[in-house]
Amino acid sequence: MAIDRSLYPDGYFDTLHKTTVFAAPARKWIERDRDILSLVAPKPDQTVLDLGSARGDVCFLLAPHCRQVIGLDASPRAVEIAEEERERRGLENVRFLPGDVEDCSPIPDGS
């Protein structure tokens, strides 16, 4: 099945998660991060796959806890934004790939 690029136009990801302290208090992000780490329970020798990675927030959270994180998203703009942030943070164990969760062929076997 082909990716329907009209679902998430480029501008969607440019404005995603731009919040104020009133809309998203720090407690919200602390609890979210705690819950993600508890659920995923990443280990230093693991590769973690984030399907629908959007701007990469979860990938960046997981990066210090595992060998490699691969983010897959159908939006080229989301992948571009995530890759720019990855470079800004200097993370070598994170990468982002364009693709749809229905077809994970961009992910190398054995990841």
Side-chain angles (χ1 to χ4, degrees), residues 25-36:
R27 185 191 81 242
K28 173 185 175 183
W29 303 112
I30 292 168
E31 291 172 353
R32 179 202 75 153
D33 292 354
R34 177 202 64 210
D35 293 345
I36 289 170

Side-chain angles (χ1 to χ4, degrees), residues 40-88:
V40 177
K43 306 222 175 355
D45 62 336
Q46 292 179 324
T47 295
V48 177
L49 177 60
D50 182 6
L51 299 174
S53 58
R55 296 166 51 120
D57 296 341
V58 172
C59 294
F60 302 137
L61 171 66
L62 297 173
H65 304 280
C66 54
R67 182 176 58 86
Q68 180 180 19
V69 184
I70 301 171
L72 181 74
D73 202 278
S75 167
R77 180 62 181 146
V79 171
E80 179 184 347
I81 291 169
E83 184 58 28
E84 288 170 0
E85 181 63 16
R86 183 204 65 77
E87 288 179 15
R88 188 188 73 74

Side-chain angles (χ1 to χ4, degrees), residues 5-45:
R5 303 227 185 267
S6 68
L7 294 175
Y8 298 102
D10 287 350
Y12 174 82
F13 288 99
D14 289 321
T15 60
L16 189 65
H17 300 305
K18 300 215 180 197
T19 59
T20 67
V21 69
F22 300 107
R27 185 191 81 242
K28 173 185 175 183
W29 303 112
I30 292 168
E31 291 172 353
R32 179 202 75 153
D33 292 354
R34 177 202 64 210
D35 293 345
I36 289 170
L37 288 171
S38 175
L39 179 65
V40 177
K43 306 222 175 355
D45 62 336

